[in-house]
Amino acid sequence: MRKFRILALFLLLALFCPLLGGCAKTDVAHLRLTVLDVGQSDCMLLSLGERHMLIDTGTSGERAAVLGELAARGVDKLDFIVVTHPHEDHYGNARILLETRPVGALIVSNAVSPDVGYSMVLEAAEREKTEIRVLSDGESFSFGEAVCEVFCAMPDDPEGNNASLVLRVRFGDCMLLFMGDAEAAAEEILLSRETGWNCDFLKVGHHGSRTACSKDFLQATTPAIAVISCGENNDYGFPHREVLTGLEEVGAEVFRTDERGFLNFVCDGRTVTFEE
């Protein structure tokens, strides 16, 4: 009889604990972010519970790293693949991903590109009946409890970098900013349009090139954490010293894939933390 009373007590606690201030609360979902080490290219995995999104997919030469990381994490489907702009170091593995696993939607800009490889990505999405969501400046989409705002300052940029989709991801009180390859010209336009660019996490634009991360942009964003995705001993000399100095001046803690490899972060809605 005593066992039944104890069981009944546990059931009552389970039922009424959410209503009582003294009861322990269940942990809220965390937004997890992995910046993959994909050499001189970009690929970031965002996970929120069972939801997964890739922002860029790395160059095709880094296919093993991308597919291996997804397999290691048990990611067999993707809610979104975002291709920030039609350069191979950003879309390089999108086609194989579309062909080998379910993808909820492929998110791209309305930039026009003659790149054959990029056309093959769009064709693969059509063939696999994956939704192609063309987003313009000022649009947004939901990723679980996170809201992803999209900006595209210069969609007609002939070089492509400034036509990058910039993603501002809001989760709780945190803001994470992913710049693609957007450079100073695009940054200037974004800053002129609105305020509120201060961020907890910044994926530095264009792999740490001096053509991005202007002084005005860094003063407006003041990131607590800044990540640079670049190849070890790359031919471009990325990241450039001017960018590193600028990040240091605004107090950002800098993480680089060429120095640390894969980078893992977790956001609890209040802060973003690096995970060793």
Side-chain angles (χ1 to χ4, degrees):
M1 190 68 178
R2 183 170 177 274
K3 291 181 178 179
F4 287 111
R5 288 175 180 169
I6 293 173
L7 178 60
L9 178 61
F10 276 117
L11 290 173
L12 286 170
L13 287 171
L15 180 62
F16 290 107
C17 254
L19 304 177
L20 303 175
C23 291
K25 297 180 180 179
T26 56
D27 191 19
V28 297
H30 288 67
L31 179 65
R32 297 190 177 275
L33 165 63
T34 298
V35 182
L36 280 68
D37 181 11
V38 284
Q40 194 58 36
S41 60
D42 272 7
C43 183
M44 286 141 289
L45 173 67
L46 276 69
S47 298
L48 189 54
E50 297 301 313
R51 299 176 181 271
H52 305 285
M53 169 169 61
L54 277 182
I55 301 177
D56 289 325
T57 67
T59 185
S60 58
E62 299 291 337
R63 180 166 298 172
V66 175
L67 298 183
E69 181 68 8
L70 294 180
R73 294 179 177 270
V75 179
D76 54 6
K77 62 183 179 64
L78 293 163
D79 292 79
F80 301 106
I81 294 177
V82 179
V83 173
T84 59
H85 61 295
H87 286 171
E88 201 274 339
D89 58 325
H90 294 258
Y91 73 71
N93 291 299
R95 183 164 64 93
I96 189 67
L97 290 167
L98 289 162
E99 292 173 345
T100 57
R101 68 203 64 223
V103 176
L106 172 68
I107 293 177
V108 297
S109 73
N110 56 9
V112 177
S113 172
D115 191 301
V116 174
Y118 182 66
S119 297
M120 293 173 69
V121 170
L122 300 179
E123 290 168 3
E126 292 176 351
R127 189 167 57 250
E128 300 297 328
K129 295 181 171 51
T130 300
E131 178 188 2
I132 300 175
R133 197 176 296 183
V134 181
L135 296 186
S136 301
D137 186 67
E139 295 190 80
S140 63
F141 63 97
S142 296
F143 177 60
E145 296 302 315
V147 176
C148 305
E149 300 170 279
V150 174
F151 302 89
C152 189
M154 300 172 62
D156 298 324
D157 175 38
E159 299 299 322
N161 288 335
N162 282 319
S164 291
L165 290 180
V166 170
L167 265 66
R168 186 165 66 181
V169 179
R170 298 184 183 275
F171 181 68
D173 295 329
C174 287
M175 199 259 273
L176 297 84
L177 190 57
F178 301 86
M179 295 301 297
D181 275 356
E183 300 177 313
E187 293 169 358
E188 183 178 357
I189 293 172
L190 294 176
L191 294 181
S192 70
R193 288 180 179 175
E194 62 176 273
T195 58
W197 291 102
N198 184 270
C199 63
D200 301 276
F201 175 98
L202 172 68
K203 202 295 291 185
V204 172
H206 202 186
H207 315 285
S209 168
R210 63 172 63 93
T211 59
C213 272
S214 67
K215 183 176 181 179
D216 288 344
F217 177 76
L218 289 177
Q219 289 178 341
T221 56
T222 58
I225 290 174
V227 164
I228 299 172
S229 180
C230 62
E232 186 176 5
N233 299 320
N234 63 83
D235 294 337
Y236 306 97
F238 296 160
H240 288 148
R241 173 49 54 187
E242 298 94 317
V243 173
L244 296 174
T245 299
L247 290 167
E248 181 181 353
E249 288 175 349
V250 297
E253 186 174 7
V254 179
F255 297 87
R256 297 165 48 177
T257 58
D258 62 326
E259 292 183 338
R260 293 175 178 255
F262 284 59
L263 302 167
N264 295 295
F265 302 88
V266 61
C267 175
D268 63 2
R270 297 179 298 276
T271 58
V272 179
T273 306
F274 175 65
E275 290 189 323
E276 296 286 354

